[in-house]
Every structure is written in C-alpha cells, then in structure tokens.
Amino acid sequence: LANDVHQLDRTGFRRCGDAASAVIAGDPQVDVIRVVRFQEQAQRQNLTLTTEMSESQVYVLADRRAMIAVADNLLSNAVRYTPQGGRIVARVRAESGSAVLEVQDTGIGIEPQHQDRIWERFYRVDTSRSRALGGTGLGLSIVKNWVLAHGGTVGLTSAPGDGSTFSVRLPRVVV
C-alpha cells in the first residue's frame, strides 16, 4: 500500500519532461523482464501469457520507471482477474501519431456501470473478491495518472464474462 501511495503521489508532481528520455515502447529487454515476471504467476494459474510487438521499434518520450509501473499494473490485474485456463495478450504497436500498449484478457470482465470509476483511487468493483485476490485499489489510478502526465490517454473495452482490453495511448516520437 505504501509503495502504491508513493507511486500515485509522484504522478502529481511530475510531468513528462521531468525524467523523460526516448523509451522504446515494446523494448525487448524491458519486455522480457516484465513478461518473465508475470509468466511465472500466469503458469501457476494455468494462464497463457503472450506478447505481440510491433515489427519496428516504437518510441515515446517517457519516464522509464513510470512506463514500467503502467505495464506492471495492467499485467498484474490481468493475471489477478483471469480465471484458470484463460489467456492474456500484451500488445505494442504504432498507430498514427501514437504508441499503443494493450493488455487483453479473457478474465471476468467489468460491468458498464463500473468502467468509468475503476480509474479512481481505491475504487473496487467487487470488494469481497478484491480482498481475496489482494491489491490496494490504486493500480489503475496509478496507470491513468502516469499516462495523463505523459500526454496520453487510457481506455477500456470490457463485458462481464468476456474479459477486458485496457489500452494506453502515448504520443509517439520519431527517432
């Protein structure tokens, strides 16, 4: 909880330029580390976790630690809320002037009335399930705040029983 509160607090004091450098969205080194970390969890739960990366490198001007926090929170939630036997796909691609990160799962999905609120601090769709599965209720708020601090947007497509696709769009940098 303390680490998540600290992360969230940092988003209020920083803007993209404070510690920004050209970061490869879908950086193979970073991705391997991130995916391996969550791959072990996924395997314990009998989940399939795959990545689909753009054939060409996609750059964003970003704080590397912030982008790792964004990816970690999205992957952590996908693993946490996808039942055994499910699938998770992390994608990075260029789209017009944006770099897009998507994390799609075959998890429990989110009802429409909760979709706008899940980005709020401490908001939980199902408090009893959340307590059982862990987490602080700050992860998606951290994601949204870091993405907004970098001039990007967040999105969600979800339906109960059909899973969710969380998307992050950041301004793309041509190097």
Side-chain angles (χ1 to χ4, degrees):
L1 178 63
N3 185 45
D4 282 351
V5 170
H6 176 69
Q7 259 306 319
L8 193 55
D9 191 44
R10 285 182 51 212
T11 67
F13 294 104
R14 298 181 78 166
R15 286 289 174 237
C16 178
D18 292 348
S21 59
V23 174
I24 302 171
D27 181 340
Q29 263 187 318
V30 174
D31 289 335
V32 167
I33 293 166
R34 306 270 55 86
V35 171
V36 165
R37 178 175 173 215
F38 290 101
Q39 192 69 261
E40 293 169 0
Q41 281 180 272
Q43 286 175 344
R44 283 193 299 270
Q45 293 176 229
N46 193 29
L47 302 174
T48 302
L49 173 58
T50 58
T51 59
E52 296 175 7
M53 299 298 154
S54 174
E55 288 185 23
S56 59
Q57 292 181 331
V58 180
Y59 291 89
V60 295
L61 187 63
D63 177 320
R64 178 178 295 276
R65 288 182 301 170
M67 295 302 101
I68 288 171
V70 166
D72 279 1
N73 277 297
L74 293 176
L75 285 167
S76 175
N77 281 352
V79 169
R80 184 177 291 132
Y81 293 106
T82 300
Q84 286 196 359
R87 289 181 1 99
I88 300 166
V89 180
R91 293 183 188 90
V92 173
R93 69 178 187 282
E95 190 175 283
S96 301
S98 298
V100 180
L101 164 65
E102 288 182 339
V103 176
Q104 180 179 21
D105 64 54
T106 58
I108 60 175
I110 301 166
E111 294 182 14
Q113 69 267 25
H114 297 289
Q115 292 182 16
D116 287 337
R117 298 207 53 211
I118 60 165
W119 307 101
E120 297 174 11
R121 294 177 186 201
F122 301 111
Y123 186 77
R124 304 286 191 129
V125 171
D126 179 344
T127 55
S128 63
R129 179 181 286 142
S130 296
R131 269 189 234 112
L133 295 175
T136 62
L138 292 173
L140 292 176
S141 184
I142 290 168
V143 167
K144 181 178 180 179
N145 282 284
W146 271 132
V147 170
L148 292 176
H150 285 78
T153 60
V154 294
L156 168 64
T157 303
S158 187
D162 288 337
S164 301
T165 301
F166 287 86
S167 61
V168 169
R169 292 178 185 282
L170 294 165
R172 187 172 159 210
V173 175
V174 179
V175 186

